[in-house]
Amino acid sequence: MEKTLPPAGKLWLVGAGPGDPDLLTLRAARLLASADLVVHDGLVGDGVLALIPAHVERISVAKQRSRHTMKQELINELLVRETLAGKQVVRLKGGDPFIFGRGGEELDAAREAGIACEVVPGITAAAGCAAQAGLPLTHREDASAVSFVAGQCKDLSDQDWSGLAGHGRTLVIYMGLASANAIADKLIADGVSPDLPVAVIERGTTKDARVLRTLLTDLGDLVVREKVASPALIVVGKVAARADALDCLGAPGITEIMGNFA
């Protein structure tokens, strides 16, 4: 008798975009409709999750600061195990899989296990949120370079951010709310002007989005004063003054300084 080979499974690392389901790629939407299993992050918007058919199995591996539903090593094992079982597995990640999404680690695990894996890019939060806020990350008058950094890192003070913010540059900080004060102090200590414009984009691309603008010296106070909640992005640079945002200036005399960038 001929042996029946198990069905060939495949893993797809799919970017869900910054939240608005209309920003999901067509390919991502098709994969959600044909998947056997969707393993998704907590940052994936409800509107995107609503596109998953009812018969498709779902597993949430939502992460919060200092608290993980499932450690990354276990997520890797889950993806490999289910794919080896012959399933079409969609690993659905907020934003883009390769920008602070640990997609590289999951791709490494797939390669090591010898399973087929394909990456489907998504609109990263920086691009999606900035677009909604009318904030050009580059501008011929203000910025010719953009850098993305993660603010939620161990030993933040040891990270080398020199040259990432300042004249002609835009710095976008993911996961930086909890360390906003330290971020401002770090950048100012590195020589960035305290009066450089900053925009904070909360729940970007969703109907509840909020865009706040201040100066670097006021960043930490702004986050506390306005009760900014995650998910949120911090954009540092002259382009932040171009955002469609609410001016939230809290330090004495800071309004006059901001007027120079209007």
Side-chain angles (χ1 to χ4, degrees), residues 33-107:
S34 62
D36 298 312
L37 169 66
V38 174
V39 180
H40 65 87
D41 286 343
L43 289 177
V44 176
D46 291 339
V48 174
L49 294 177
L51 299 176
I52 303 173
H55 69 274
V56 175
E57 182 184 1
R58 305 184 195 185
I59 298 177
S60 172
V61 290
K63 296 182 178 70
Q64 297 180 16
R65 182 176 175 85
S66 301
R67 188 173 69 222
H68 303 276
T69 299
M70 187 180 294
K71 291 184 177 180
Q72 187 62 50
E73 294 78 8
L74 296 178
I75 294 174
N76 295 348
E77 292 174 8
L78 168 68
L79 297 175
V80 168
R81 182 174 65 250
E82 296 296 327
T83 305
L84 287 174
K87 294 181 180 179
Q88 301 297 305
V89 179
V90 168
R91 174 67 171 105
L92 191 61
K93 310 174 78 67
D96 179 89
F98 281 176
I99 299 182
F100 304 123
R102 297 191 178 184
E105 297 174 41
E106 292 169 357
L107 179 59

Side-chain angles (χ1 to χ4, degrees), residues 8-41:
K10 185 169 181 177
L11 172 63
W12 307 80
L13 305 180
V14 177
D20 184 346
D22 285 345
L23 297 179
L24 193 70
T25 65
L26 292 174
R27 191 172 195 192
R30 287 196 292 265
L31 286 170
L32 291 180
S34 62
D36 298 312
L37 169 66
V38 174
V39 180
H40 65 87
D41 286 343

Side-chain angles (χ1 to χ4, degrees), residues 232-250:
L233 282 180
I234 299 169
V235 181
V236 181
K238 287 188 68 175
V239 294
R242 298 179 180 274
D244 299 324
L246 176 66
D247 283 342
C248 299
L249 306 175

Side-chain angles (χ1 to χ4, degrees), residues 68-181:
H68 303 276
T69 299
M70 187 180 294
K71 291 184 177 180
Q72 187 62 50
E73 294 78 8
L74 296 178
I75 294 174
N76 295 348
E77 292 174 8
L78 168 68
L79 297 175
V80 168
R81 182 174 65 250
E82 296 296 327
T83 305
L84 287 174
K87 294 181 180 179
Q88 301 297 305
V89 179
V90 168
R91 174 67 171 105
L92 191 61
K93 310 174 78 67
D96 179 89
F98 281 176
I99 299 182
F100 304 123
R102 297 191 178 184
E105 297 174 41
E106 292 169 357
L107 179 59
D108 288 342
R111 286 170 171 167
E112 185 176 345
I115 62 176
C117 182
E118 188 170 335
V119 181
V120 178
I123 296 176
T124 189
C129 297
Q132 182 190 40
L135 193 166
L137 295 177
T138 65
H139 192 286
R140 285 201 300 169
E141 295 180 10
D142 294 336
S144 58
V146 183
S147 298
F148 299 159
V149 299
Q152 186 176 311
C153 292
K154 292 181 180 179
D155 302 319
L156 178 64
S157 60
D158 295 332
Q159 302 295 315
D160 184 6
W161 289 6
S162 57
L164 298 185
H167 181 70
R169 295 179 177 273
T170 302
L171 178 62
V172 182
I173 303 164
Y174 290 65
M175 301 170 287
L177 286 186
S179 52
N181 266 317

